[in-house]
Amino acid sequence: MEEIRKEIDVGDWHSNLAHDEWTPLPVPGSRASARYKHAAVVVDEKLYVVGGSRNGRYLSDVQVFDLRSLTWSSLKLKTESSTSENTEEDDGSLREAFPAISDHRMLKWENKLLLIGGHSKKSPDNMSVRFIDLETHLCGVIDASGNVPVSRGGHSITLVGSQVFVFGGEDKKRRLLNDLHVLDLVTMTWDVVETTQTRPVPRFDHTAAAHSDRYLLIFGGCSHSIFFSDLHILDLQTMEWSQPHVQGDVVTPRAGHAAITIDENCYIVGGGDNSTGCLETLVLNMSKLVWSTSTHVEARHPLASEGLSVCSASVFGENILVAFGGYNGKYNNDIFVMRLRPGESSHPKIFKSPAAAAAAASVTAAYAIAKSEKSDIPPPANATLNGIGNGFSKSDIRSRIDAIKEEKKTLESSVAETQVENSKLREKIDEVNSSHTELSQELQSVQGQLISERSRCFKLEAQIAELQKALESGQSIEAEVEMLRRQKSVSEEGEDVTVQRQGSGGVWGWIAR
């Protein structure tokens, strides 16, 4: 790694970057302390790193890395109540407004950095929203109203327009969550998002991304014992969860990874399962739902870590990814960059069901009809219709319109049939869910019976053991009784002999007299 750093010129580091390959940046001066579970964002070619954790200790510093000069600096924060006369009061108010924090999430909104949630020594009951003004360096807490979610860390935040969607995480009692809340950044109001279908199971240290301002994607994460590699999608218009089939490379379970969205691609870096770090940098094409691998790193590489951060930046006209920090057995503070390969950006919809395709075609047909009907007004001599020359007669145009109308009817009929089919499928799903509920209840009943039978068996086994002990004791008593009987019999036989002898001697003695 040291050799690679020497090959890169500090003043011209961007010119020799290879595409789709992670490269460490040389840092000539002092560095930010190593950490993980921090938050990071790039603003105006500067990487802002806030908080994090190291050796079980929460951090409260704000470090800034200049991507042009490759130098680190510290950002000194202040509060509105700061005074230059009483330093102790200043420090106290600053710690209260901006405490040491870890596992939080951060985004840029207007001229501020917003920190949402996170763990600290004195975490509040409800989720906090803190800010750092990038111009004045003031920091503080934003008072948000509405249905404020419980305090948590390891959650995901996703900015869609002026709304931030917060999913999952782990609260300060280590309870795993899978609820969904939204924060309106204009009104600073929280609300609960009600959804349908099966939502992802409770998890934390996952990632989330938005596609086309309509779809919210949740990937990976873990519970307290299981690591996930599943992908869930929430349609923000219908508020329905789904778990679609994904093609491409096989993805291993991971948590603590980092994600960044570039156009229709979501880049996944790092992560692991508490024993092995993930070596590959994944790319999810959110339009086609296809996984691919952009690049690999070696084992024990700093990027094969949990709790790292990844951001996107444009420096010297180059689009790059910037990764920092993480933990893979040691805490890291290296800066890695990867030059992105230029490509076309398109935004097709994720799902193209028959009903959606038919509806889209119907709209296209209706537009064509409306446009054609407007052509009843005599056009100029050099006018064209739908990009076709004026070599068609009015009867040809009419026949085309009639054909389009017929096609529209067919498509509308297809839409109606698809809707009926979807309704039947939903009924079947409801039946299956109902049957599943009944089977679950029956299973619970059988499990309860098994538990009671097990208890009864344990009691019978205990009684049998006691009876066996009593039987063994009875056998020993019988042996002792039999021995006493024999002794008694022998004793009685000896007494009879003695009596006989005494009687005979008495007769002879009487005769002798």
Side-chain angles (χ1 to χ4, degrees):
M1 186 178 296
E2 293 297 332
E3 294 180 358
I4 295 176
R5 286 176 180 156
K6 291 178 182 178
E7 294 174 359
I8 300 176
D9 182 18
V10 174
D12 194 30
W13 63 266
H14 63 283
S15 60
N16 296 321
L17 290 179
H19 288 105
D20 297 336
E21 182 178 326
W22 287 106
T23 304
L25 289 183
V27 180
S30 61
R31 302 186 178 204
S33 61
R35 68 193 66 201
Y36 84 134
K37 292 190 175 182
H38 54 279
V41 68
V42 171
V43 180
D44 297 333
E45 300 183 346
K46 292 182 179 180
L47 174 68
Y48 290 83
V49 176
V50 180
S53 178
R54 175 184 173 89
N55 295 326
R57 182 172 61 90
Y58 297 141
L59 305 176
S60 61
D61 58 337
V62 179
Q63 302 293 329
V64 184
F65 183 74
D66 192 313
L67 291 167
R68 280 184 173 265
S69 63
L70 303 187
T71 55
W72 281 101
S73 61
S74 296
L75 185 65
K76 184 173 177 57
L77 301 179
K78 54 186 178 180
T79 62
E80 294 180 353
S81 60
S82 296
T83 61
S84 58
E85 298 177 357
N86 194 328
T87 305
E88 293 183 1
E89 289 185 5
D90 291 349
D91 293 341
S93 62
L94 183 59
R95 282 194 299 270
E96 183 177 351
F98 200 86
I101 194 169
S102 174
D103 240 356
H104 51 294
R105 302 295 179 257
M106 183 169 67
L107 57 84
K108 179 183 178 293
W109 178 251
E110 297 176 343
N111 66 330
K112 295 181 177 66
L113 299 180
L114 300 184
L115 283 71
I116 302 177
H119 294 307
S120 59
K121 287 186 177 180
K122 296 181 180 180
S123 296
D125 293 334
N126 294 328
M127 181 171 285
S128 60
V129 179
R130 295 182 171 87
F131 74 90
I132 299 174
D133 192 308
L134 295 176
E135 296 177 359
T136 64
H137 299 173
L138 287 173
C139 68
V141 179
I142 297 177
D143 292 329
S145 59
N147 297 316
V148 183
V150 297
S151 178
R152 67 191 68 193
H155 51 290
S156 63
I157 65 171
T158 311
L159 181 64
V160 180
S162 61
Q163 294 182 317
V164 179
F165 289 87
V166 177
F167 175 80
E170 181 186 41
D171 67 12
K172 61 182 183 179
K173 296 180 180 179
R174 299 205 67 211
R175 182 170 58 102
L176 296 179
L177 308 167
N178 67 341
D179 53 347
L180 182 66
H181 289 76
V182 62
L183 172 63
D184 190 312
L185 296 180
V186 177
T187 62
M188 279 298 163
T189 303
W190 284 101
D191 202 0
V192 180
V193 180
E194 299 293 341
T195 61
T196 59
Q197 306 306 323
T198 304
R199 67 176 64 184
V201 298
R203 64 189 65 200
F204 70 110
D205 283 354
H206 54 280
T207 52
H211 178 57
S212 297
D213 285 344
R214 174 171 176 178
Y215 301 101
L216 175 66
L217 292 82
I218 304 293
F219 168 69
C222 64
S223 66
H224 291 145
S225 59
I226 301 173
F227 289 79
F228 305 114
S229 61
D230 51 353
L231 178 69
H232 298 262
I233 297 178
L234 175 66
D235 188 325
L236 296 177
Q237 291 186 5
T238 63
M239 289 301 170
E240 290 184 351
W241 284 104
S242 63
Q243 191 172 359
H245 174 68
V246 186
Q247 298 178 332
D249 294 350
V250 177
V251 177
T252 57
R254 68 195 65 202
H257 51 284
I260 188 68
T261 299
I262 308 292
D263 296 329
E264 65 180 10
N265 292 324
C266 181
Y267 291 82
I268 305 293
V269 184
D273 58 5
N274 279 345
S275 60
T276 305
C278 296
L279 309 180
E280 66 276 10
T281 296
L282 299 172
V283 182
L284 173 65
N285 185 304
M286 295 183 289
S287 295
K288 301 176 182 178
L289 290 181
V290 176
W291 283 109
S292 61
T293 301
S294 174
T295 186
H296 287 82
V297 295
E298 298 177 354
R300 310 300 297 175
H301 191 279
L303 290 181
S305 298
E306 298 179 33
L308 76 168
S309 62
V310 63
C311 306
S312 63
S314 178
V315 186
F316 299 108
E318 296 285 350
N319 294 324
I320 61 173
L321 299 184
V322 184
F324 171 76
Y327 177 79
N328 61 351
K330 74 176 279 192
Y331 296 96
N332 301 306
N333 64 346
D334 292 313
I335 294 279
F336 289 86
V337 295
M338 183 172 76
R339 186 182 182 191
L340 297 178
R341 193 178 300 276
E344 296 181 358
S345 175
S346 59
H347 294 278
K349 291 185 178 179
I350 289 180
F351 302 112
K352 291 209 172 183
S353 63
S362 177
V363 171
T364 303
Y367 174 75
I369 291 171
K371 187 172 182 180
S372 300
E373 287 177 347
K374 289 181 180 178
S375 66
D376 290 342
I377 303 174
N382 61 349
T384 60
L385 177 62
N386 292 336
I388 305 174
N390 57 359
F392 293 95
S393 63
K394 191 172 182 179
S395 61
D396 291 336
I397 294 173
R398 277 295 171 190
S399 63
R400 285 174 174 269
I401 292 174
D402 292 339
I404 291 174
K405 288 181 177 179
E406 289 297 324
E407 185 179 358
K408 178 190 174 187
K409 291 180 181 178
T410 303
L411 292 173
E412 288 176 343
S413 175
S414 175
V415 170
E417 291 176 359
T418 304
Q419 288 175 343
V420 171
E421 184 179 353
N422 288 341
S423 178
K424 292 180 180 179
L425 288 174
R426 284 176 180 169
E427 290 178 358
K428 289 182 179 179
I429 290 173
D430 292 338
E431 291 177 1
V432 171
N433 289 336
S434 177
S435 175
H436 175 72
T437 301
E438 293 176 357
L439 289 174
S440 298
Q441 293 176 350
E442 185 176 352
L443 177 62
Q444 291 176 355
S445 176
V446 171
Q447 289 175 340
Q449 294 176 3
L450 286 174
I451 292 172
S452 62
E453 289 297 325
R454 285 178 184 174
S455 177
R456 184 167 169 269
C457 288
F458 289 149
K459 291 180 180 179
L460 289 174
E461 289 176 356
Q463 292 177 357
I464 290 171
E466 291 178 358
L467 290 174
Q468 287 178 342
K469 289 181 179 179
L471 181 60
E472 292 174 356
S473 175
Q475 290 175 351
S476 63
I477 291 172
E478 287 181 358
E480 291 179 2
V481 169
E482 183 64 26
M483 184 179 297
L484 290 172
R485 285 177 179 171
R486 290 177 181 177
Q487 292 177 355
K488 180 181 179 183
S489 176
V490 171
S491 176
E492 288 177 349
E493 289 177 358
E495 289 178 357
D496 290 342
V497 171
T498 303
V499 169
Q500 290 177 1
R501 286 178 179 177
Q502 289 177 351
S504 298
V507 171
W508 285 109
W510 179 76
I511 293 174
R513 287 195 295 258

